[in-house]
Amino acid sequence: MSGRSAITVLAAVVAMSAVPAGVGAAVTAGPSHPDRAGALASPAGKSGAGTAWSAIGPRAIPPAPAGAGKLQAFAVDLANPLVMYAGGGVGPGNAGPFSEAGLFKTVNGGASWQPADTGLGDPSACALWLDQQNPNVLTVGTWFSGIYRSADAGVTWRRVARLGATTGFLQVGSALYAATARGIARSVNAGATWTLIKRTTAPVRALAGSGRVLYAGLDDGTVLARSRAGWRRVLSVPAATVWSIAVSPANPRRVYAVEWNNYHPGDLYATTDGGRSWHRVLRRRAIQVVTFGVNDPSTVYAAPGGALLVSTNDGSAWTVHPGPDVRFLYSWPGRAGTIVVGSDQGLFLVTGYGAVTSSLNGDISSSLLTGLAVSGSEILTAVQDYSPLLSTDGGATWQQFWGTSPPVGEDGTAVFGPSGPTRAYLDTSVGFQYSADGGLTWQSASGLPQSQFSYAGSADLIGTDPASPATLYLATSSRVYRSTDSGASWAPAHWPIRQPSLVVVSPANGRRIYVGSQQSGALFYTTDGGSRWHRSRLTAAGGWPTALAVDPADPRVVLVGLANSAGTGGGVWRSTNGGASFTRADRGIAAGPTLAPFSVWSVGFQPNSARPLVAVATASGAFVSADRGARWQSIRFNAEPRWFTGIAWSGGYLYMSTYGEGVLRVPASRL
């Protein structure tokens, strides 16, 4: 099944992926998971020194072998294979969903992992290279900031090259090459300094080589080859991008290239004469990555979504094994038939030329979450590339619902009812689902169109009425629907608002309802349950409303967050007259390097508190205000991602969901 992100801006710039085969509903005890501590200092203000987020999962995602979120960067110390590094970003060839998981290190073969991000200014880690002659030296290619290098085995990092998005490394003899947005770079001192040796008309996404021959794949579908005669173009496929290149260790004239064209079948090309002629192989397979076995050159591995293909006879015949959504393949030197698979579901080991045999994910928390609901010890998340994940014990163990009937789907929004976690609601890629037992089982609703899921990117696609818990509202791709029986059946609300992006009911008055429109970029409100509508004044706002919160202590105060549209607009806006008019209110919120500057995905006031705290989740960080939005301060603390997606206040804690580190939690008293 092809997955699409609930965040429209994100979906527009990255390739979404398929859900893994064989994912079921099982409960697995997770390993011990120390809080993720980092080096980012607490910001000035009321937040106390040393304030830090606790990463609480999802971890050890069932079924076995246990999964994680996207991890497609990998390196291992071959002299001490218990030491490994993993990272999450975009990956080789611009493959898969965007992630800001940063870097992790294990010293016990993957049983447990610790963050290795100190000094890494960009959490989107696309590629890794470890110097096997000096394993203290490690380089990482990042999406926004270029190349970083560590000389102390990942303890600290410094940037060594500003060449744009860097998505691949290749060592040839004593030289190290990098695939960058500006072209092909080379280092002759183990990554300490870099020289751009070949400028290219499009970003370089993939590198491979054998002997003196080097191949480079570009974002515009071009494959370049370098030999003694210099560089030449050997393949060009319009409307495609090169995601992966593999060169036979025994014959540099034998090459495979993945020319990706949005799941178009037959996009794996092969040459046996160094690029003079090419032919398509593995027709009707949307291959994403390919590699040769480093120990056995007649072995080739290729992967479409949800499978691993293995050939032990130079590609003449293939064996198909079920697998995750593969983005990276590492052939382990000295271990015939052994590869490490990096995927949207984490890292896995394949031995004996077969299927996935074991998980290397340990206690990594790297999930890409689009929705979050928390009530006491129950945590419900909407997840990219998984069905929703549920914990009933505060994050110690997790379960998912893929393979259930009805299907539950990925991405979207998760909500608990106003009366507690017994009533739970999801709006995912397969539509709306409701649960009457805290999310353990799910049912489909009646009265909704089949293709109604809204990709507006809002945390507020489902609106609940605290005064009438059985009443729900749902923002679909076309209009708002209403249910009066806790989500079992629905009918159109017949409101004059198209392409709704959010629907929120005031906690003080169930007849005051706010609805945003992605189509017009406007915010509308009603004070009589929907008979008459008023258009809010959002002066020169730009974008479209994606999140809204009403101050529970003063319902005249309304905060709305907007998505960034084509590089303009976005930000947080505040009303002090119940939503009639708004003024910009994002002082202290910085954009930073991100795919969607100033886009806001969730806004939430702390309920039942004397302190008027309100938090926002944005594409460039998490922020909190103690004066109802007049001023904000960063609360990113030690979190690795900048991309925060959801907010939940519960039990004296602030919970936030992220795109790369799962669910984070911090005591509200520390904010």
Side-chain angles (χ1 to χ4, degrees), residues 291-539:
T291 194
F292 279 89
V294 68
N295 310 292
D296 34 22
S298 62
T299 299
V300 187
Y301 301 90
L308 177 66
L309 281 62
V310 183
S311 172
T312 57
N313 53 12
D314 289 318
S316 298
W318 299 81
T319 302
V320 181
H321 303 279
D325 199 8
V326 181
R327 304 297 180 181
F328 173 82
L329 294 169
Y330 172 82
S331 179
W332 198 304
R335 299 187 181 185
T338 299
I339 60 170
V340 174
V341 170
S343 73
D344 291 353
Q345 293 78 40
L347 294 175
F348 300 93
L349 195 66
V350 172
T351 59
Y353 307 95
V356 167
T357 56
S358 59
S359 169
L360 296 176
N361 294 305
D363 58 357
I364 284 181
S365 178
S366 58
S367 292
L368 313 180
L369 305 182
T370 62
L372 172 67
V374 181
S375 181
S377 61
E378 294 213 18
I379 306 170
L380 179 63
T381 65
V383 193
Q384 208 286 320
D385 257 316
Y386 283 100
S387 68
L389 301 177
L390 173 70
S391 176
T392 59
D393 51 17
T397 59
W398 295 84
Q399 58 182 303
Q400 64 166 319
F401 306 97
W402 202 262
T404 60
S405 181
V408 181
E410 61 178 307
D411 289 326
T413 300
V415 174
F416 284 134
S419 301
T422 300
R423 290 285 180 178
Y425 308 103
L426 293 164
D427 190 34
T428 72
S429 58
V430 299
F432 178 85
Q433 307 276 321
Y434 68 97
S435 172
D437 56 9
L440 297 177
T441 60
W442 295 90
Q443 301 181 63
S444 296
S446 63
L448 291 170
Q450 185 174 2
S451 58
Q452 55 79 38
F453 180 48
S454 173
Y455 286 92
S458 175
D460 295 316
L461 297 177
I462 303 172
T464 61
D465 185 350
S468 178
T471 300
L472 299 174
Y473 300 91
L474 179 65
T476 75
S477 58
S478 58
R479 62 178 62 188
V480 173
Y481 283 73
R482 176 167 45 202
S483 171
T484 57
D485 56 7
S486 300
S489 61
W490 294 81
H494 296 299
W495 294 342
I497 303 166
R498 293 295 176 260
Q499 294 183 15
S501 56
L502 63 83
V503 54
V504 174
V505 181
S506 171
N509 180 358
R511 295 176 62 79
R512 179 178 284 270
I513 305 168
Y514 301 87
V515 178
S517 170
Q518 186 175 5
Q519 182 184 61
S520 65
L523 178 70
F524 301 88
Y525 68 97
T526 179
T527 59
D528 58 9
S531 296
R532 293 176 298 175
W533 287 91
H534 313 276
R535 181 168 178 155
S536 298
R537 293 190 296 278
L538 281 168
T539 306

Side-chain angles (χ1 to χ4, degrees), residues 629-667:
R631 293 168 297 178
W632 300 86
Q633 63 177 5
S634 172
I635 53 171
R636 187 180 170 207
F637 304 142
N638 60 308
E640 185 55 28
R642 288 182 291 245
W643 198 295
F644 289 73
T645 58
I647 294 169
W649 299 87
S650 181
Y653 289 92
L654 171 62
Y655 294 79
M656 299 190 77
S657 55
T658 70
Y659 230 65
E661 202 174 354
V663 180
L664 302 178
R665 182 181 69 185
V666 67

